[in-house]
């Protein structure tokens, strides 16, 4: 079952293995528009990168993704 990308927000740690989700970054479209923030990642599309204390772990892949994301400056979600 494919995860709902809108439920993936908060503190994220990028990993090489042991991920919760495999994500492919795209330039156009995408299942989720993501804005990286320093604090306050409390709604869909907001990701705060951390080294410890993450809500979920992400591995960036080129194929075989659980969902795709597009990085934005405005209009996340």
């Amino acid at each position: 079952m494919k995860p709902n990308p809108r439920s993936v927000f908060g503190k994220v740690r990028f990993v090489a293995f042991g991920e919760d989700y495999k994500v492919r970054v795209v330039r156009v479209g995408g299942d989720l528009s993501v804005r990286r923030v320093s604090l306050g990642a409390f709604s869909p599309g907001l990701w705060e990168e951390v080294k410890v204390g993450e809500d979920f772990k992400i591995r960036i892949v080129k194929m075989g993704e659980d969902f795709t994301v597009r990085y934005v400056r405005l209009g996340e979600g």
Side-chain angles (χ1 to χ4, degrees), residues 2 5 22-26 28-34 65-70:
K2 196 170 183 176
K22 292 181 279 188
V23 172
R24 182 169 53 95
V25 178
V26 297
V28 177
D31 299 318
L32 180 67
S33 296
V34 171
E65 70 275 358
D66 295 317
F67 58 91
T68 59
V69 300
R70 177 175 55 103

Side-chain angles (χ1 to χ4, degrees), residues 12 14 25 33-39 41 45-49 58 60 70-73 76:
V12 56
F14 293 96
V25 178
S33 296
V34 171
R35 181 166 53 109
R36 291 172 134 174
V37 296
S38 299
L39 293 169
L46 295 178
W47 288 6
E48 176 187 345
E49 185 175 354
I58 294 288
I60 302 296
R70 177 175 55 103
Y71 289 118
V72 297
R73 292 182 188 218
E76 68 279 351

